[in-house]
Amino acid sequence: MDVTLGIDIGGTNTKLGFVTHDGTCPVHTSIETEAHKPVENFITNLCIAVEQLKVEIGEGHSIKAVGVGAPNANYYTGYIENAPNLDWGMKVPLANLIQDKVSLPIWITNDANAAALGEMKFGVAQGMKNFVVITLGTGLGSGFVMDGRLVYGHDGFAGEMGHITCMPGGRMHTTGRKGSLETYVSATGIK
C-alpha cells in the first residue's frame, strides 16, 4: 500500500505519521520539537521517529512522498523563514534537510495552510470552496481557501492572522512587534 509521510511541526511538539490515499493514518507518533536546539538535532530525532514508524507499519508499504506543515514554512522556497517559535535561524532550508535524509519528493507549507488542505480533502470543509482554518497552539495560524484553492499570496505568507496588531503598544512578540493577536490568544499567550 502506498503511503505519504505527514509531518506537523509545532513550536512545542511535532506529530508525524503515515497517511493513506483515503486520509487514514494507520501509524503515528509525536516527538518534542526542542525549538531551542539546533535544527540538526530536530532532523536526527525526526529520522529516528520515522524509522520506528516504518517498523510499526510493517512490510508491504511504500512511502511515496513527504508533506510538511511548519510555522512560517514557505511553499515556494522550501524554507522556514523567521519562525517566531523556532530558534533555528532566520532562513532554514527544511525541505532540503529532510530530503537529504529520505530521498523522497517533499512538499512543505505553513502548518495552518496544511491544516486547511487537510480539512478540504478529508475533513469538515469537503465540498466547500471558501473557508478559513484557524490553528491554535504555541502560536496562532490561519489558512485561507478561496474558490477551492489555497491562498499563498505572492510571497507564500498570505493571511497570517496571528501577526495582526489587535492591541497597539500591547504585549511584546518574539518578532519584536507589539500587540499581535498571537500574543493574546495562542496557548502561549493565554498562559
Side-chain angles (χ1 to χ4, degrees):
M1 177 184 300
D2 293 343
V3 293
T4 298
L5 173 61
I7 303 169
D8 175 17
I9 301 172
T12 305
N13 295 299
T14 294
K15 299 173 188 103
L16 60 148
F18 292 125
V19 182
T20 65
H21 73 283
D22 65 355
T24 59
C25 190
V27 295
H28 54 88
T29 191
S30 67
I31 60 173
E32 288 185 40
T33 303
E34 298 182 325
H36 58 285
K37 293 184 179 177
V39 68
E40 292 78 14
N41 290 33
F42 171 77
I43 297 296
T44 298
N45 293 336
L46 180 67
C47 290
I48 291 168
V50 170
E51 290 305 315
Q52 291 170 342
L53 285 176
K54 285 181 183 177
V55 170
E56 221 179 296
I57 199 168
E59 305 225 356
H61 293 85
S62 176
I63 306 168
K64 294 299 184 182
V66 179
V68 182
N72 284 38
N74 190 318
Y75 172 80
Y76 297 126
T77 66
Y79 280 70
I80 292 178
E81 301 178 19
N82 306 312
N85 299 316
L86 301 173
D87 296 329
W88 293 344
M90 299 298 279
K91 289 183 84 173
V92 179
L94 190 69
N96 287 339
L97 291 172
I98 294 173
Q99 190 157 38
D100 287 347
K101 299 292 184 185
V102 299
S103 300
L104 291 166
I106 306 275
W107 281 269
I108 186 170
T109 191
N110 177 286
D111 49 353
N113 288 344
L117 289 170
E119 291 298 336
M120 185 167 54
K121 178 94 173 145
F122 303 113
V124 297
Q126 290 180 66
M128 297 175 99
K129 295 284 186 193
N130 302 290
F131 61 93
V132 177
V133 170
I134 305 292
T135 59
L136 291 173
T138 306
L140 167 77
S142 54
F144 288 77
V145 173
M146 293 174 44
D147 294 325
R149 297 177 56 162
L150 189 62
V151 178
Y152 286 106
H154 75 282
D155 62 357
F157 293 109
E160 287 289 331
M161 289 180 63
H163 301 293
I164 293 172
T165 300
C166 69
M167 186 76 64
R171 292 180 184 169
M172 180 66 75
H173 192 275
T174 55
T175 60
R177 296 173 60 185
K178 290 185 175 183
S180 66
L181 184 61
E182 182 169 286
T183 62
Y184 292 92
V185 301
S186 67
T188 307
I190 291 170
K191 185 176 172 184

